[in-house]
Amino acid sequence: MSPEETVGAYYDALRAGEALAPFFVESPATVKVGISERLVGYAEVAKGLREQTRTTEEWTVESHDLRVVKRDEAAAVSDAVSLTWYDAEAFAEHSFETRWSGTLLPTDDGWAFAGLHVSAASDLAGDADR
């Protein structure tokens, strides 16, 4: 799977409520920054993603500008993504226009995120609960 296909598969897994941790490098240096969280180390990333999957549903993920630059043994990605989901614990829908950036490294199975950063600009944010 190429870096582009890996990002697309991650979006598909998010929409489907499937496990997301397998998309990350199993390393204590792995980092995932979300709209309101910073997870460091694969164990913390996996735990945070499991909790996200457990408490949310009905994800809409619309990529608007995926760009990938592959160099030597790494790939850098960026995208503009419309995100909407339902928080089953708060009984509330959340919606954001987000910016994504990350680094993928090759693995035996293809590519995985060593770092992923998702943010929403304050003037674009629908809310700041997640």
Side-chain angles (χ1 to χ4, degrees):
M1 192 176 328
S2 72
E4 294 91 341
E5 291 167 332
T6 300
V7 174
Y10 183 84
Y11 293 165
D12 289 343
L14 182 56
R15 286 183 200 103
E18 297 172 357
L20 299 172
F23 289 92
F24 288 83
V25 174
E26 292 187 36
S27 165
T30 296
V31 176
K32 180 188 175 289
V33 177
I35 293 171
S36 66
E37 66 189 356
R38 181 175 184 265
L39 306 171
V40 179
Y42 178 79
E44 191 175 330
V45 170
K47 180 181 175 185
L49 290 170
R50 279 192 305 274
E51 180 66 7
Q52 174 184 296
T53 299
R54 184 186 74 74
T55 61
T56 63
E57 54 192 46
E58 299 177 22
W59 281 83
T60 300
V61 182
E62 297 177 11
S63 170
H64 300 292
D65 192 25
L66 178 62
R67 294 172 188 254
V68 177
V69 176
K70 186 177 169 191
R71 299 260 196 255
D72 301 322
E73 294 298 314
V77 300
S78 71
D79 201 355
V81 180
S82 299
L83 290 178
T84 303
W85 69 89
Y86 182 74
D87 182 328
E89 290 189 333
F91 305 106
E93 183 175 276
H94 302 279
S95 184
F96 291 93
E97 294 301 320
T98 62
R99 302 167 297 199
W100 293 50
S101 60
T103 302
L104 292 109
L105 299 176
T107 67
D108 293 339
D109 299 324
W111 292 82
F113 288 104
L116 177 61
H117 185 126
V118 178
S119 63
S122 61
D123 62 333
L124 297 176
D127 59 31
D129 292 336
R130 188 161 290 273

